[in-house]
Amino acid sequence: MTRTPPTTVTRNRLWRWRRNPLRRHSDVVEGWVVLATWILALLGAVIGGWAAAHSVDSTLTARRAEVHAVSAVLTDGAVKTPAAGSGYDDGRVWATARWTGPDGKVHMGRTKVLPGAPAGTQVTVWTDRTGRSVPAPASSAEAMLQTVLTGALVAQVTGTTVWAGGWLVRNAQVRRRLAEWDEEWKRVGPEWRNYSGGRG
C-alpha cells in the first residue's frame, strides 16, 4: 500500500494560498475564513474557559470569606434513625442547635448532625456575618472541581460556537463559488460542446 508523501498532502491542503490559474478570489477568502475560524475558536476556547474558571473561583473564594464556622450546642437530641431517602445527606439528620453569632446575640437553628447525637453535643455551624445559619462553603477539592469543570465546559461551548459560525460563513462562500461556476459554465458550456463536436 502506497502512502502519499507528506509534502504532497501539505501542498493539497494549502493550494488556496499558492498562485495558480484556477484559484479564484472566493478560494482565497475561503482560505482566510478557515484559518481565522480555527484561530478564533482556539483563542475563544482558551479565553472563555479561563474567564469562566476565574469567575467561579472568585465567587467561591468570596463566599468562603463571607461565612464563618462557629461552635454550637445541640439543644435537643437527634433522632437515631435517618428518614427514608436521606442517603443524599450521608445519613445525617436535622437537629436544633444554639450558638452565639459575631454580634454577640444568641441564635438558634437547625443543622445536620450524626443520628443519635444527644443534647449538649458540640457541633460546627456555618454562619454569615449576621450570625444566621448558612450552608457550608465548598471545600478546596470541591471548589477546584467546580472551577475546572466550568472552565472546560465553557471552553468547549465557546470553541464550538465560533467554529460553527466560521463553518456557516465557509458554506456561504462555497455556495457563492458554485453559483459562479454555474454562471461561467452557462457561457462556456455551449462553446465547449461546439468545439468538441467539431473535433468529432
Side-chain angles (χ1 to χ4, degrees):
M1 179 178 177
T2 59
R3 299 182 63 181
T4 305
T7 54
T8 303
V9 174
T10 303
R11 285 198 299 268
N12 290 338
R13 291 178 179 175
L14 300 178
W15 67 271
R16 292 182 183 87
W17 305 100
R18 301 196 318 271
R19 293 184 180 276
N20 65 76
L22 299 179
R23 187 184 68 172
R24 301 166 182 265
H25 176 70
S26 59
D27 296 326
V28 177
V29 173
E30 182 181 350
W32 280 108
V33 168
V34 172
L35 179 62
T37 297
W38 279 109
I39 292 176
L40 292 177
L42 292 174
L43 286 178
V46 172
I47 294 174
W50 177 85
H54 180 70
S55 176
V56 170
D57 183 63
S58 298
T59 301
L60 294 177
T61 300
R63 187 174 187 291
R64 284 196 298 270
E66 293 175 354
V67 299
H68 310 278
V70 298
S71 179
V73 178
L74 294 185
T75 59
D76 298 315
V79 297
K80 297 181 179 180
T81 304
S86 62
Y88 177 77
D89 297 316
D90 297 328
R92 295 183 299 164
V93 297
W94 288 104
T96 303
R98 181 181 65 249
W99 64 91
T100 302
D103 54 2
K105 295 181 179 180
V106 176
H107 299 266
M108 293 188 67
R110 292 173 64 79
T111 186
K112 284 287 187 177
V113 298
L114 295 176
T121 301
Q122 295 283 337
V123 295
T124 299
V125 176
W126 288 90
T127 66
D128 59 15
R129 295 178 180 177
T130 64
R132 293 181 303 177
S133 176
V134 295
S139 64
S140 298
E142 292 172 341
M144 178 63 69
L145 180 61
Q146 291 183 34
T147 300
V148 171
L149 290 180
T150 301
L153 178 61
V154 171
Q156 181 180 1
V157 171
T158 303
T160 301
T161 301
V162 174
W163 182 87
W167 181 80
L168 292 175
V169 173
R170 183 187 180 192
N171 277 357
Q173 291 294 325
V174 170
R175 288 193 297 269
R176 178 181 177 184
R177 183 169 64 247
L178 292 177
E180 291 177 354
W181 285 351
D182 287 340
E183 290 297 324
E184 291 188 10
W185 178 249
K186 290 178 182 177
R187 295 193 303 267
V188 177
E191 298 178 5
W192 181 80
R193 284 193 292 270
N194 292 338
Y195 175 75
S196 299
R199 294 183 60 185

